[in-house]
Amino acid sequence: MPTFSSRWCQHAYLAPEYEHDKESFLDYLKLLLSHTGARVLIASADGTLAVLREYRQELEALTYVALAKEAALEAAVNKTITLQIAQKLGLGIPRSVQISSVGEITEAIREIGLPAVIKPVESWLWGSDVQGELQGVRLISRLVTTPEEAREAIEEQTQFGGSALFQQFLAGRREAVNFMYANGEIYARFAQWARRTHPPLGGVSVYRQSIEIPSDIGEQAEKLVREIELEGYSEVEFRRDSEGKPYLMEINPRLSASIEVAVRAGVDFPYLLYQWASGEKIDRVMDYRIGGWMRFLEGDILTTIQALSQYGRPGVDSPEQAIFDFMAAFFVPSGYDYVDGKDLLPVWTAMRDVAFRARQKLASGMLRRTFR
């Protein structure tokens, strides 16, 4: 892992996979906390967030857990609850129907139409696999254009008993507002927009820029965070329609992959989160640098490949435009994930890992199938 090779990483630990054995993961984590004396535990993935929430009381006996109160987390993680609160506050929300089985698809299509986006009500679920073993799975949003695609997406997202939102498709700009909120006060604000994401519909932002906080979504996002009392770090995501009207997508109550653009712009959210969780005085960040770009090159390559293979689907650029935009980004001053002139080993490790994964895909024929 690139992180392990950083000059700032004094010790590296590799825990068991919580997806298949969360008890072993928890035991390892408790031993690690006891051994290292770490002051704060911070979640950076949906799966670890779920584990920390479930075993929070045990972990808080060993360290500070950098999470909001459970009621606030439940409101943020569950998209149905989030949208209900947002609607009460007068925020723009996409037209949605909640469904839990393929038998409800016909009525959902009649009400919302196609294309549509099917997204899980909760991104992380625990369930049993075909052998009856406990398994955790992260579910992602899917764009569907036909009833057959909708059926596949619903089957996938409800396999462990969860439900999904059948939601109107919005092809406009994706923007997010980030906060550090505690004790009824906002200590830091930040905004960014994602030029490209992986996968192309949405997900990890692979090419993003710091922007001024738009007045419309800035006010709406802050109102929502205060209403939920979502202390700590949060990222509130919006999509705009063709006329520029913003619609709330979701709230992320944990550190996300896009946080690097905020840090390089002058808002060190991880450190602010550490201060809050450990009870220290929280620094106030009044402004930040606007216009800075950050790029996750491996993700951008994969996004461009997917755009080539998905040409003709809603929201996907033409192959010519996708290639032009990818190449043009090299001529725009940008920061790159893992790249730091004072800490070069992570980028070398990342390049080596990318080359290894590319060889694996070529060997399995995945890339050849993509271009058929």
Side-chain angles (χ1 to χ4, degrees), residues 18 25 41-56 59 65-68 70 73-74 76-78 122-124 126 230 233 251-255:
Y18 52 80
F25 174 81
L41 187 59
I42 298 175
S44 60
D46 291 329
T48 50
L49 175 62
V51 174
L52 298 192
R53 289 176 62 196
E54 184 173 353
Y55 298 101
R56 183 170 188 163
L59 295 170
V65 179
L67 292 178
E70 182 57 30
L73 289 174
E74 176 64 20
V77 168
N78 187 295
E122 294 194 23
S123 297
W124 186 269
W126 298 103
L230 187 60
Y233 169 83
I251 307 177
N252 196 340
R254 60 165 178 80
L255 292 180

Side-chain angles (χ1 to χ4, degrees), residues 4-72:
F4 288 174
S5 58
S6 170
R7 61 182 292 204
W8 306 112
C9 181
Q10 297 180 351
H11 303 284
Y13 302 91
L14 193 61
E17 293 185 353
Y18 52 80
E19 294 92 335
H20 303 291
D21 189 352
K22 61 180 177 179
E23 298 291 343
S24 295
F25 174 81
L26 177 67
D27 290 342
Y28 182 93
L29 182 56
K30 290 194 291 187
L31 285 172
L32 179 63
L33 292 171
S34 299
H35 173 69
T36 62
R39 291 191 63 194
V40 175
L41 187 59
I42 298 175
S44 60
D46 291 329
T48 50
L49 175 62
V51 174
L52 298 192
R53 289 176 62 196
E54 184 173 353
Y55 298 101
R56 183 170 188 163
Q57 188 172 355
E58 295 180 48
L59 295 170
E60 285 182 331
L62 300 170
T63 189
Y64 294 107
V65 179
L67 292 178
K69 294 178 180 178
E70 182 57 30

Side-chain angles (χ1 to χ4, degrees), residues 255-318:
L255 292 180
S256 55
S258 66
I259 198 66
E260 182 71 6
V261 68
V263 173
R264 297 206 188 191
V267 189
D268 193 345
F269 280 113
Y271 183 57
L272 297 176
L273 186 60
Y274 172 87
Q275 290 178 318
W276 167 70
S278 61
E280 295 183 5
K281 180 181 178 181
I282 307 172
D283 295 337
R284 291 185 182 274
V285 182
M286 305 306 296
D287 56 16
Y288 57 87
R289 293 180 291 278
I290 295 168
W293 287 96
M294 281 295 300
R295 193 181 192 192
F296 174 36
L297 186 55
E298 180 186 0
D300 205 6
I301 292 171
L302 294 174
T303 294
T304 303
I305 291 173
Q306 287 189 336
L308 298 180
S309 65
Q310 296 178 14
Y311 174 57
R313 293 179 66 80
V316 177
D317 290 332
S318 68

Side-chain angles (χ1 to χ4, degrees), residues 198 298-299 301-303 305-306 353-370:
H198 176 64
E298 180 186 0
I301 292 171
L302 294 174
T303 294
I305 291 173
Q306 287 189 336
D353 292 347
V354 170
F356 175 75
R357 287 192 292 271
R359 286 196 300 270
Q360 285 186 315
K361 289 181 179 180
L362 285 171
S364 65
M366 288 179 64
L367 290 182
R368 290 192 296 273
R369 287 196 298 272
T370 296

